[in-house]
Amino acid sequence: MADQIKSGYLGESKHDIFISYSRYDDQNIYNQSGWITDFHESLEITLKSALGCEISIWRDSKSLDRSRNFHKGIKDAIKKSGCFLIFYSEGYKNSPHCEEELKQIDQRDDDPPTFVVRYEDDDPKERPEKLRGHVTFDFFDQKDGTKFVPNINI
């Protein structure tokens, strides 16, 4: 059955990682892919090499019909993912779709591992309650706010 497909590493989930992000943070500039797209590709290549097996990373990379309440494919992917990588930014905070993804993640019974990637400085106390206390990675220079995509080293 299609619902019972296992991923390469976290064998109990269809997807090892679910990437939650705002489309505003992944816009392409000068015909180059956005930074979240680049990060996704780099992470997948790095994990496959480090673990020696296939990895399933789910990200809503298509232009889905957002006029529906909440895309069934996103709900299903949230239910079938082993851990979550949340790219938190102003765009994320202001997105009703990202808010709905967080709600769906929070409703899971198993409290899956969730990691927060900060694309810009923020006050952790102002984050939604469900994003406080998770492991956080900063993708900007805290001294001057310069944004960057670091090399992924495992």
Side-chain angles (χ1 to χ4, degrees):
M1 292 181 178
D3 285 352
Q4 295 180 353
I5 295 172
K6 305 291 188 216
S7 68
Y9 190 69
L10 297 176
E12 299 191 13
S13 303
K14 182 174 181 181
H15 308 291
D16 294 301
I17 301 169
F18 180 101
I19 294 178
S20 180
Y21 69 103
S22 166
R23 290 196 190 281
Y24 293 121
D25 296 327
D26 194 44
Q27 297 183 50
N28 42 11
I29 302 170
Y30 307 116
N31 273 341
Q32 296 179 15
S33 58
W35 84 273
I36 292 174
T37 297
D38 289 344
F39 177 88
H40 176 171
E41 292 170 1
S42 295
L43 180 63
E44 189 165 7
I45 290 166
T46 302
L47 288 175
K48 283 179 181 180
S49 176
L51 300 172
C53 64
E54 289 299 314
I55 297 296
S56 175
I57 300 176
W58 196 94
R59 177 174 62 94
D60 174 16
S61 58
K62 298 178 178 70
S63 297
L64 296 175
D65 178 7
R66 297 295 186 164
S67 62
R68 292 187 265 171
N69 289 340
F70 191 68
H71 191 272
K72 183 179 178 338
I74 295 173
K75 269 186 170 178
D76 289 345
I78 288 171
K79 288 177 186 174
K80 297 173 184 174
S81 293
C83 69
F84 296 87
L85 195 55
I86 312 276
F87 285 81
Y88 193 69
S89 66
E90 283 299 316
Y92 196 94
K93 283 193 272 189
N94 296 320
S95 168
H97 300 293
C98 294
E99 183 178 340
E100 182 63 27
E101 287 181 12
L102 277 181
K103 180 180 167 189
Q104 295 293 320
I105 294 166
D106 195 44
Q107 289 176 350
R108 286 191 34 170
D109 295 331
D110 58 348
D111 193 27
T114 302
F115 305 92
V116 179
V117 175
R118 295 187 326 144
Y119 189 48
E120 51 210 13
D121 203 5
D122 74 316
D123 182 350
K125 294 175 194 156
E126 293 179 11
R127 286 185 212 143
E129 182 77 30
K130 54 191 124 225
L131 289 183
R132 296 182 200 156
H134 292 291
V135 173
T136 304
F137 300 96
D138 292 342
F139 278 37
F140 64 93
D141 186 321
Q142 291 192 358
K143 293 178 186 167
D144 65 9
T146 304
K147 298 176 182 181
F148 62 93
V149 179
N151 291 328
I152 300 169
N153 296 311
I154 296 180

